[in-house]
Amino acid sequence: MSISRRKFVASVASGTALAAVSTGELVSAWTTAAFAASPPGDVVGKITVGYQGWFACIGDGSPINAWWHWSQNNSTPPSPSNTTILSWPDMREFTKGYTTAYANLGNGQPAQLFSSYDQQTVDTHFKWMRDYGCDTAALQRFNPNGGEGPIRDAMTAKVRSAAETYGRKFYIMYDVTDWTNMQSEIKTDWTNKMSAYTSSPAYARQNGKPVVCIWGFGFSEPSRPFTPAPCLDVVNWFKAQGCYVIGGVPTWWRTGVNDSRPGFLDVYHAFNMISPWMVFRARTIAELDSYYANVNVGDQADCNARGIDYQPCVMPGDLSSGARAHGDFYWHHIYNMTRLGAQALYVSMFDEFNEGNQIAKTAENASMQPTNFGHPALDADGVACSSDYYLRITNDGGRMFKGLAPLTATRPTQPNGGTTPPPTGNLALFKPTQASSQSQTFASANATDGSQDSYWESANNAFPQWVQVDLGSVVAVNKAVLKLPASWGSRTQTLSVQTSVDGGGFTTVVNSGGVGFNSGSANTATLNFTQANARYVRVNFTANTGWPAGQLSELEVYGPATGGDTQPPTTPANLTTTGKTSSSVSLSWTASTDNAGVTGYQVRQGSAVVGTTAATSFTVTGLNPSTSYTFTVTAQDAAGNTSAASNGVTVTTDPAPNTNLARGKSTSESSHTQVYGSGNAVDGNQDTYWESANNAFPQWLQVDLGSATSIGRIVLKLPASWGARTQTLSVTGSTDGANFTTLKASAGYTFSPSANTTTITFTATATRYVRLNFTANTGWPASQVSEFEVYAS
């Protein structure tokens, strides 16, 4: 069966018979599909991540010598009153940190931050890119002619080194924000500096050409005031240099409205690849679907028609505002752009801790960030997530995008790393590590990489020292296996083993003593101890007869062997919803039974565990308003056996009282004049507006809320600068889009200058489609609305 990738995606969207092929056929068709504009290269068919690399600290030796991008006043350390970040990085894999003015972390450790100027920082980031399927990094380059120029030049060299070391690709992404003399200076910078990097085997190439991106042409903000002519000149100049040119463009580039200046379409169509911005445009899955239907589908069709590659932006969501939905938001964004048939994906961003939309390893919970930080960690919505969770979603989503895994709207990636390894497996394998110090390149991560030849070594002649592993969650442990390279000579190290559930307080499980590593027995030592519950396992060193430092090539951790009771509890029954709010759902179920006794229940949303309890009821909190969730419950016994899942219940949370339910939703209309389409009425901008055909009453404007929702209030707006007028209209509603009932009878509504806002209230009614029916307007012979807002009450 031969199916082009685009034909398949279009068939899914339209519901044709082609969409009914088997999963095996889908994956086969996906992996052999041809791209419309360009074949796979270093950006087409790949996952690109935006890389800022713009953090520095006083004392790091950088040319800027400031708390660059960490502090508002970058001459002083960041603190609660002097900060620019919304998320705290996981610092455990960086060999050097810089102490801030924040309080200690929740686990008692000092609050330190990394410097991008340290090569080890960039190396660690590119190692993560390699380990988690990020193919290419777009290095952000702002105006290099000011005081930041020297450090940005230095960062380019560091990125090149890291990309070459870890087998990743990179390209220069110019950001023209506030770059007044951009037209001439960007050409000079490329010619004199950046073009030299294209000789690197790590520099990204597409269609055989070096890749360069220009971000910011056409945006309506005053910081990017350029007119079309100089922008088109720059695009064509780079193409004349033999470059493949990507345009980082406004969300609404194709229609030239909202965040896009009009008149730029020729500029946009001059790019080889178009990559529209999406950060802060959507905060819910419903809004992602609205953009998919109203923006992305049209964008893709426009690019297809012109042989332009399409690289939509996907994002994990703003952590600080609770938009991430413990991974569902990010996965759904990748899913939408995959089913769209996009040529490439651009992840925004890798290390953007300032805006809180980073995928790099992030503080999991309060123990890993300062006690006075004041911003959420990854577990903010009640679901514990490992620090690498969004990197793992990137990897799994990338596999789906490339056709290496089935297309699915259900997130397969688990917040804590998926199924817990069996108790007889090495629980520490590939898990994050931390150490008191390291010598040269012998980092602590070597102790959990599965290779006995690589090793961690502490600073020399500086006992005591320690190395520890984070198992990702609290599990039962009772054995540690310590190894040194098998080829080394025998030695004895004096050490102890400690465990902790939170990374703060540690309990000794193996007292300090001499542990022999014998070359005749593969330099392996096994330490058994009384079973303990632990997340962190630490080995403390005070002496070594073979070398004046702590040394380990492998730190393996094991739990108790299985055996005995293997009978799971009965399945929980009669799961039902007992209550809900805009942010919570209360559940109850019938108790399970077990031959040895039920110890607790896990409440699951999909495959993710969102709560545990010993009772037969639970309230899930931290949910999004007006969002559909499906829950099941499983039972556990003392031996770790888990029952089958209960019946599923699907419930939609209540809308937030003050949430505009129509924002960003799909619209339709009886007509519109010129460029004043109905989408303008739900874009959140009072200056843009819908206007019907003139001199042709009656007219109507409609919004689809996505599902039947209780509503009782509508707010209508016109541009604030317009003169007064009265429009005569009625409000009708429908649950199916065909049969409408009157919610508010026809009446005249006055719009007065300065605010030009009117409010319509009516009895709360469950409605999906809300329609305004116009019959007159005293200010203009047409219907006019700049904002059509719908509220629950």
Side-chain angles (χ1 to χ4, degrees):
M1 184 175 185
S2 177
I3 309 171
S4 75
R5 185 179 184 193
R6 295 189 181 285
K7 185 177 180 183
F8 161 66
V9 172
S11 75
V12 173
S14 62
T16 64
L18 183 56
V21 297
S22 69
T23 300
E25 289 172 309
L26 298 187
V27 174
S28 175
W30 198 277
T31 55
T32 59
F35 294 86
S38 300
D42 292 336
V43 286
V44 171
K46 297 299 192 295
I47 307 299
T48 296
V49 295
Y51 189 66
Q52 299 285 20
W54 64 8
F55 296 99
C57 307
I58 290 178
D60 61 3
S62 68
I64 200 166
N65 193 34
W67 289 94
W68 193 38
H69 284 274
W70 291 126
S71 296
Q72 292 175 346
N73 175 3
N74 61 24
S75 65
T76 59
S79 67
S81 61
N82 180 37
T83 188
T84 63
I85 61 172
L86 298 176
S87 295
W88 196 268
D90 176 2
M91 290 292 296
R92 291 173 297 183
E93 295 183 49
F94 302 112
T95 58
K96 189 171 185 180
Y98 299 82
T99 302
T100 70
Y102 276 99
N104 285 349
L105 308 185
N107 60 19
Q109 297 176 0
Q112 295 188 324
L113 293 167
F114 64 78
S115 169
S116 301
Y117 192 74
D118 291 335
Q119 184 68 54
Q120 193 269 339
T121 297
V122 185
D123 286 346
T124 298
H125 285 162
F126 275 74
K127 178 180 182 295
W128 293 346
M129 292 180 200
R130 181 200 66 187
D131 294 346
Y132 296 98
C134 305
D135 303 299
T136 303
L139 175 61
Q140 314 295 290
R141 185 169 177 81
F142 292 73
N143 182 356
N145 297 299
E148 295 178 359
I151 191 170
R152 291 200 182 278
D153 291 348
M155 290 310 305
T156 308
K158 294 176 187 294
V159 164
R160 171 180 178 166
S161 173
E164 291 175 351
T165 299
Y166 291 99
R168 300 299 88 188
K169 301 294 184 177
F170 78 100
Y171 61 81
I172 300 302
M173 186 174 187
Y174 284 108
D175 189 315
V176 299
T177 303
D178 292 320
W179 196 347
T180 307
N181 299 319
M182 172 276 303
Q183 185 178 5
S184 60
E185 291 179 352
I186 197 172
K187 300 174 185 177
T188 300
D189 184 74
W190 178 259
T191 301
N192 295 343
K193 292 182 178 179
M194 294 299 103
S195 63
Y197 286 93
T198 63
S199 63
S200 168
Y203 196 89
R205 304 184 79 85
Q206 181 61 49
N207 302 346
K209 301 177 179 181
V211 177
V212 64
C213 180
I214 306 168
W215 192 96
F217 285 175
F219 280 81
S220 59
E221 290 91 345
S223 58
R224 307 175 193 97
F226 314 106
T227 58
C231 295
L232 186 59
D233 169 69
V234 168
V235 175
N236 287 333
W237 183 87
F238 273 100
K239 292 170 73 173
Q241 308 309 302
C243 295
Y244 176 94
V245 188
I246 303 173
V249 301
T251 309
W252 298 90
W253 63 274
R254 181 168 43 85
T255 52
V257 298
N258 301 332
D259 63 345
S260 175
R261 297 178 186 272
F264 268 77
L265 198 56
D266 287 344
V267 178
Y268 301 144
H269 284 157
F271 289 111
N272 299 111
M273 173 178 276
I274 288 177
S275 185
W277 192 238
M278 269 296 293
V279 174
F280 297 132
R281 301 302 196 260
R283 295 180 183 273
T284 67
I285 290 173
E287 289 176 349
L288 290 178
D289 286 341
S290 177
Y291 274 100
Y292 170 84
N294 296 309
V295 176
N296 302 124
V297 170
D299 284 1
Q300 186 71 73
D302 186 280
C303 289
N304 291 352
R306 291 167 173 79
I308 300 171
D309 296 315
Y310 189 50
Q311 184 197 48
C313 169
V314 295
M315 53 193 179
D318 175 15
L319 179 60
S320 66
S321 67
R324 293 201 172 192
H326 46 269
D328 285 343
F329 181 92
Y330 188 25
W331 182 266
H332 199 81
H333 207 179
I334 297 173
Y335 163 76
N336 273 355
M337 297 305 99
T338 301
R339 68 186 174 117
L340 177 72
Q343 279 73 59
L345 296 184
Y346 178 86
V347 179
S348 181
M349 299 283 288
F350 186 89
D351 57 340
E352 179 57 276
F353 290 93
N354 304 98
E355 294 178 350
N357 65 335
Q358 74 290 339
I359 62 170
K361 296 187 181 183
T362 301
E364 300 171 358
N365 50 50
S367 73
M368 293 176 61
Q369 61 186 27
T371 56
N372 60 348
F373 183 50
H375 297 289
L378 289 183
D379 67 345
D381 62 0
V383 178
C385 302
S386 63
S387 69
D388 68 344
Y389 180 39
Y390 288 88
L391 289 168
R392 290 190 288 108
I393 292 179
T394 304
N395 188 47
D396 292 346
R399 287 175 52 79
M400 177 176 69
F401 174 76
K402 297 171 185 176
L404 302 175
L407 178 68
T408 175
T410 302
R411 169 179 49 79
T413 317
Q414 297 307 299
N416 275 305
T419 304
T420 302
T424 54
N426 175 15
L427 303 173
L429 186 62
F430 303 129
K431 293 299 174 65
T433 59
Q434 192 174 9
S436 53
S437 67
Q438 75 175 54
S439 175
Q440 301 179 56
T441 61
F442 307 119
S444 61
N446 292 342
T448 60
D449 65 358
S451 170
Q452 194 170 351
D453 293 326
S454 63
Y455 63 95
W456 163 75
E457 181 175 300
S458 74
N460 289 194
N461 300 297
F463 286 115
Q465 299 286 341
W466 56 265
V467 63
Q468 74 182 35
V469 60
D470 176 2
L471 303 180
S473 61
V474 177
V475 295
V477 297
N478 66 354
K479 182 173 69 175
V481 175
L482 310 181
K483 298 180 180 179
L484 292 177
S487 60
W488 284 14
S490 299
R491 68 202 63 203
T492 298
Q493 298 194 75
T494 303
L495 56 87
S496 64
V497 179
Q498 293 180 307
T499 62
S500 172
V501 296
D502 60 6
F506 281 82
T507 300
T508 300
V509 293
V510 176
N511 291 327
S512 181
V515 175
F517 294 82
N518 192 324
S519 58
S521 56
N523 275 330
T524 299
T526 299
L527 305 177
N528 295 293
F529 49 86
T530 301
Q531 180 174 319
N533 291 326
R535 173 172 176 171
Y536 301 87
V537 179
R538 176 180 290 185
V539 183
N540 304 284
F541 297 81
T542 56
N544 183 346
T545 62
W547 194 259
Q551 296 173 314
L552 270 187
S553 67
E554 285 298 293
L555 167 54
E556 300 177 358
V557 179
Y558 297 86
T562 57
D565 180 19
T566 60
Q567 179 178 327
T570 60
T571 303
N574 303 316
L575 178 64
T576 187
T577 304
T578 59
K580 60 175 181 160
T581 68
S582 61
S583 61
S584 67
V585 171
S586 296
L587 305 166
S588 68
W589 56 91
T590 302
S592 299
T593 60
D594 184 70
N595 62 321
V598 175
T599 58
Y601 299 89
Q602 292 182 338
V603 180
R604 299 171 180 259
Q605 180 194 334
S607 55
V609 177
V610 295
T612 59
T613 179
T616 55
S617 62
F618 187 82
T619 298
V620 183
T621 60
L623 304 178
N624 295 319
S626 302
T627 303
S628 177
Y629 295 91
T630 299
F631 300 99
T632 57
V633 175
T634 59
Q636 290 73 43
D637 65 15
N641 300 307
T642 298
S643 74
S646 70
N647 60 292
V649 294
T650 300
V651 59
T652 299
T653 51
D654 294 337
N658 295 315
T659 298
N660 175 13
L661 304 174
R663 174 75 179 272
K665 297 298 175 61
S666 299
T667 60
S668 55
E669 61 193 24
S670 53
S671 67
H672 73 267
T673 186
Q674 300 179 51
V675 297
Y676 307 117
S678 59
N680 292 342
V682 294
D683 64 0
N685 184 351
Q686 193 171 352
D687 293 327
T688 64
Y689 61 95
W690 165 73
E691 181 175 304
S692 73
N694 289 194
N695 300 296
F697 286 114
Q699 297 288 338
W700 56 265
L701 169 66
Q702 176 177 304
V703 63
D704 176 3
L705 302 181
S707 62
T709 305
S710 179
I711 63 169
R713 177 167 58 100
I714 289 173
V715 177
L716 303 180
K717 298 178 181 179
L718 292 177
S721 61
W722 284 15
R725 67 203 64 204
T726 298
Q727 297 194 72
T728 304
L729 62 96
S730 65
V731 182
T732 56
S734 172
T735 57
D736 60 7
N739 302 296
F740 283 81
T741 58
T742 298
L743 303 179
K744 191 74 170 184
S746 181
Y749 294 93
T750 300
F751 296 81
S752 300
S754 78
N756 268 335
T757 298
T758 190
T759 300
I760 305 172
T761 60
F762 44 87
T763 302
T765 306
T767 305
R768 172 172 176 174
Y769 301 90
V770 188
R771 179 178 290 185
L772 306 175
N773 306 280
F774 296 80
T775 56
N777 182 348
T778 63
W780 193 259
S783 310
Q784 297 170 315
V785 175
S786 68
E787 282 301 293
F788 178 9
E789 301 178 353
V790 180
Y791 296 89
S793 60

